[in-house]
Amino acid sequence: MRATVTVPDDFTDVAETSRRLGIGVRRLRDGVNHRGFPAHRMGRRLMFSPQDRAQIAEMHRIPARPKRRRIA
């Protein structure tokens, strides 16, 4: 008999989190397993809280390059 895990409404699974963040499922899973992305394991499922998603977005963000000044 398997125990059921109750997931809070604000948690999302891998597919939904990758869609919201605009990154691939494989990249998200690799980030959790190898790069330190925050996540929660609930049973066999990998779940992400709103705080986890915000941290991943910040870690995944690529800073903009400064504008180059044109010499006239």
Side-chain angles (χ1 to χ4, degrees), residues 21-40:
L21 296 175
I23 60 177
V25 171
R26 175 83 302 186
R27 184 175 185 109
L28 183 59
R29 286 187 179 278
D30 285 347
V32 170
N33 293 327
H34 303 291
R35 302 193 199 302
F37 284 6
H40 301 275

Side-chain angles (χ1 to χ4, degrees), residues 48-66:
F48 301 88
S49 69
Q51 295 83 12
D52 294 339
R53 293 190 300 268
Q55 286 179 352
I56 293 169
E58 185 60 33
M59 293 168 81
H60 185 68
R61 186 177 73 83
I62 300 170
R65 290 187 287 174

